[in-house]
Amino acid sequence: MTPLAGEVPGVPVGTCFEGRRALREAGVHRPLQAGIAGTALGGAVSVVLSGGYEDDQDSGERILYTGEGGRDPRTGAQTAHQLLTRGNLTLARSHLLGQPVRVIRRVSGSTYRYDGLFLVTAVWHEVGRSGYLIWRFLLEAQIYRPAGRQVTTRLSRNSIHAAQVKAWHDHTCQLCGLRLTTPAGPYAEAAHIRPLGQPHHGPDTPENLLCLCPNCHVQFDLGGVGVADDLSLLGRPGLLRRVRAHCPDATNLAYHRAHIYSAEIGDPG
């Protein structure tokens, strides 16, 4: 039986298909119309890039994928806001799970090509070129193969800054106040406020880091909690925990509110 997620046996990268029905029959992408396949619980398993959304950007190994919804099928223009539901929610779930997604590109007419497994490395929202809210997903190839070469895509991070921020806070979460201890010592994670790399271009500096427990790190990265100008928390009660040595940058916190935090996720009511 063809697996839902991951590679499809007998379908190597570069295989072409004539029409969406052929993709479905091969188990590469099952919907005949929708561009995102998956479930809200299990995450997305495949996406099709067909040039339908005006805000999509495709550079080969890195794709800025626009979520579904709000598009006029006749003109291709965005005419309404997108919501974090249906296919958009499945891609956000894949990001949370670290689950790879099959990418299929339309190369000409009704011909589609399977281009391998990509990871959803970032999720955020912004105003698109038509003035409506859209959900964006950064997809990065697990292994990119330009002209037969293999190049893995990785993002370097300065572990010195992360260690310093965690030490300043004595490994205590700035959102919930939890301090985890293990036989090997205390444990916390350094979370970037404005994400690194394209398209956010956040700096790898102490001012762009928070010391968080694993649970709060996931919620912060996926928009379930934010921080207001007065350092009150959005999406839950409380204030951001502070120490004298560490001052998170207000501009980066505002960027997180504008592009990552989602009131529809964070509002406990």
Side-chain angles (χ1 to χ4, degrees), residues 112-135:
Y112 295 85
R113 184 184 65 222
Y114 169 55
D115 281 342
L117 298 180
F118 285 60
L119 289 175
V120 184
T121 57
V123 177
W124 71 100
H125 54 83
E126 63 188 22
V127 175
R129 66 178 67 183
S130 292
Y132 294 96
L133 184 74
I134 57 175
W135 280 92

Side-chain angles (χ1 to χ4, degrees), residues 185-257:
Y187 178 81
E189 297 178 355
H192 286 88
I193 302 169
R194 179 170 181 160
L196 301 184
Q198 296 182 4
H200 305 287
H201 302 290
D204 196 11
T205 62
E207 295 76 23
N208 192 40
L209 289 169
L210 295 178
C211 176
L212 302 180
C213 71
N215 284 352
C216 288
H217 190 175
V218 170
Q219 288 190 309
F220 187 78
D221 280 358
L222 295 182
V225 62
V227 181
D229 281 332
D230 63 359
L231 301 185
S232 62
L233 302 184
L234 303 172
R236 66 164 76 167
L239 292 170
L240 183 72
R241 185 179 180 277
R242 291 279 307 280
V243 295
R244 186 185 300 274
H246 180 222
C247 183
D249 183 81
T251 302
N252 293 333
L253 289 172
Y255 185 94
H256 182 274
R257 290 195 300 274

Side-chain angles (χ1 to χ4, degrees), residues 25-216:
E25 291 173 353
V28 177
H29 184 77
R30 296 187 181 278
L32 293 177
Q33 292 185 338
I36 306 170
T39 65
L41 183 61
V45 296
S46 59
V47 298
V48 172
L49 279 71
S50 57
Y53 284 88
E54 61 187 11
D55 292 287
D56 281 349
Q57 298 178 34
D58 186 354
S59 62
E61 81 279 14
R62 183 178 288 111
I63 302 165
L64 264 65
Y65 188 83
T66 305
E68 65 182 17
R71 183 178 70 93
D72 186 327
R74 296 170 299 174
T75 66
Q78 200 72 25
T79 58
H81 298 307
Q82 293 183 345
L83 300 176
L84 192 61
T85 58
R86 302 173 57 189
N88 300 337
L89 183 59
T90 69
L91 281 170
R93 181 68 175 166
S94 289
H95 174 55
L96 176 64
L97 297 173
Q99 174 178 286
V101 177
R102 294 190 294 272
V103 166
I104 299 97
R105 290 179 170 94
R106 186 171 68 180
V107 292
S108 64
S110 60
T111 302
Y112 295 85
R113 184 184 65 222
Y114 169 55
D115 281 342
L117 298 180
F118 285 60
L119 289 175
V120 184
T121 57
V123 177
W124 71 100
H125 54 83
E126 63 188 22
V127 175
R129 66 178 67 183
S130 292
Y132 294 96
L133 184 74
I134 57 175
W135 280 92
R136 306 303 300 273
F137 304 91
L138 181 61
L139 308 180
E140 295 187 277
Q142 287 192 295
I143 299 179
Y144 181 51
R145 300 174 173 87
R149 294 183 297 112
Q150 292 192 357
V151 181
T152 57
T153 56
R154 290 188 175 89
L155 198 58
S156 63
R157 301 166 188 242
N158 192 330
S159 60
I160 296 176
H161 294 324
Q164 180 64 79
V165 167
K166 288 186 281 187
W168 281 334
H169 290 274
D170 192 26
H171 295 80
T172 301
C173 180
Q174 290 182 255
L175 296 184
C176 71
L178 179 67
R179 186 178 188 272
L180 295 174
T181 58
T182 76
Y187 178 81
E189 297 178 355
H192 286 88
I193 302 169
R194 179 170 181 160
L196 301 184
Q198 296 182 4
H200 305 287
H201 302 290
D204 196 11
T205 62
E207 295 76 23
N208 192 40
L209 289 169
L210 295 178
C211 176
L212 302 180
C213 71
N215 284 352
C216 288

